[in-house]
Amino acid sequence: MALFETEALVLRSYNLAEADKIVVCLSRSSGLIRGVAKNCRKLKNRFGASLEPFTLINLTYFEKENQELVSFSQTEILKSRFNLSSDAAVLSGFSYMGDLLMDFSPPRQANDNLYRMALACFEAVSQSPADLEWVLRYFEVWLLKLEGFLPDLRVCANCQKAFSGEEQVYLGSDLSLRCSSCSLGRGTVISKHAHQQLRATEKLSPAKFAEETREVPIDIIKELAQLAYKVISRVLERTPRARPTFSPFIQ
Ligand SMILES: [Zn+2]
């Protein structure tokens, strides 16, 4: 039996038997882990409170050979998001990010860039809940990028010519981007403005990205939300479990 300690973000928890929970976390040093927290529901104890979704914790757990579920033994709250628990939009955004992290992260594979990006997005929304939609767009782009599914935003996949930033581009069914002459008019059109916003995610933190794009028209948020929805559904071969906040616009 091996003992591990890591920083982790709680993504989801399920009740198990009378007093236990199954908890899914994205951890810094072991990636996605699923574990059993025994007796955490017996009393209103700190152990139980630390395992509420979206809490950032220091986690100590045991791992037995050939067992998928680890055993959570100790936790310490680093950051609670309890103050946001009555904000339905924020909670739905957090659930959406949490579900995508569970869908895209292979179990037990540390990915420090993904962990830091996810943490920065949860933190940006916590600091400024009004920026939720922009942070979600940022999160989607970076999740796809870090998992290797984001097309090259800078050059046409066919002729390799750099995009000028002043033209619309086309997303093909193979999930690559083409210039208008190479696309032959086929694929999903990405407007100049939406393409510029996609490129902006590459250079900025989520908080800075949201701050710098608050004045961008809502149509562009919708365009990016629809685009991400399309790409994510294609990669997962199904639609995301939690609908993004802009789902009314996504048919
Ligand atoms: Zn081209």
Side-chain angles (χ1 to χ4, degrees):
M1 199 156 66
L3 178 71
F4 298 89
E5 196 181 332
T6 178
E7 190 185 289
L9 178 66
V10 178
L11 299 180
R12 181 164 285 203
S13 60
Y14 312 85
N15 290 343
L16 177 71
E18 270 180 25
D20 308 339
K21 265 184 179 178
I22 289 184
V23 183
V24 188
C25 289
L26 186 70
S27 70
R28 184 185 283 274
S29 57
S30 309
L32 196 73
I33 47 178
R34 288 181 165 80
V36 177
K38 285 224 170 272
N39 292 325
C40 71
R41 288 162 53 219
K42 254 192 180 158
L43 298 163
K44 287 250 171 237
N45 59 21
R46 288 165 71 101
F47 189 36
S50 70
L51 298 170
E52 287 299 313
F54 321 122
T55 309
L56 183 66
I57 55 175
N58 249 336
L59 168 68
T60 308
Y61 67 92
F62 294 95
E63 192 177 296
K64 283 187 198 155
E65 232 174 297
N66 302 324
Q67 284 199 2
E68 195 214 326
L69 289 174
V70 303
S71 293
F72 287 15
S73 70
Q74 263 185 14
T75 54
E76 176 200 346
I77 295 180
L78 299 175
K79 189 161 277 185
S80 147
R81 315 241 182 239
F82 186 71
N83 58 323
L84 293 164
S85 60
S86 59
D87 190 326
V90 165
L91 284 187
S92 103
F94 280 179
S95 295
Y96 175 62
M97 291 198 283
D99 276 11
L100 289 180
L101 287 168
M102 289 191 280
D103 287 334
F104 277 84
S105 314
R108 315 281 185 93
Q109 284 185 30
N111 183 338
D112 198 52
N113 287 335
L114 180 71
Y115 181 78
R116 285 188 291 118
M117 186 281 289
L119 221 56
C121 287
F122 278 88
E123 195 52 35
V125 176
S126 301
Q127 294 296 323
S128 180
D131 287 335
L132 174 68
E133 287 301 332
W134 277 117
V135 175
L136 291 182
R137 306 294 78 82
Y138 181 98
F139 175 84
E140 290 161 340
V141 173
W142 271 96
L143 178 74
L144 289 168
K145 185 182 172 104
L146 293 171
E147 296 293 342
F149 297 108
L150 189 74
D152 191 330
L153 301 175
R154 289 170 233 197
V155 297
C156 169
N158 191 53
C159 68
Q160 305 296 320
K161 208 173 75 185
F163 295 127
S164 67
E166 295 299 327
E167 59 193 317
Q168 60 185 28
V169 298
Y170 292 76
L171 177 74
S173 54
D174 59 350
L175 299 184
S176 60
L177 290 190
R178 292 185 175 78
C179 66
S180 64
S181 51
C182 290
S183 75
L184 304 171
R186 286 198 291 263
T188 305
V189 177
I190 302 176
S191 70
K192 174 183 107 175
H193 206 156
H195 184 226
Q196 287 169 349
Q197 289 308 307
L198 287 172
R199 295 282 304 268
T201 61
E202 293 186 310
K203 296 173 233 142
L204 303 168
S205 70
K208 195 80 186 151
F209 174 74
E211 189 188 314
E212 291 197 2
T213 48
R214 277 177 197 147
E215 306 303 319
V216 171
I218 196 152
D219 284 356
I220 305 300
I221 305 186
K222 282 194 258 173
E223 186 182 348
L224 291 178
Q226 288 170 352
L227 189 66
Y229 192 74
K230 187 173 272 187
V231 176
I232 288 167
S233 303
R234 175 80 56 78
V235 173
L236 294 177
E237 296 181 336
R238 59 168 171 77
T239 54
R241 269 193 301 259
R243 302 298 301 263
T245 323
F246 265 103
S247 60
F249 303 108
I250 295 167
Q251 299 302 329

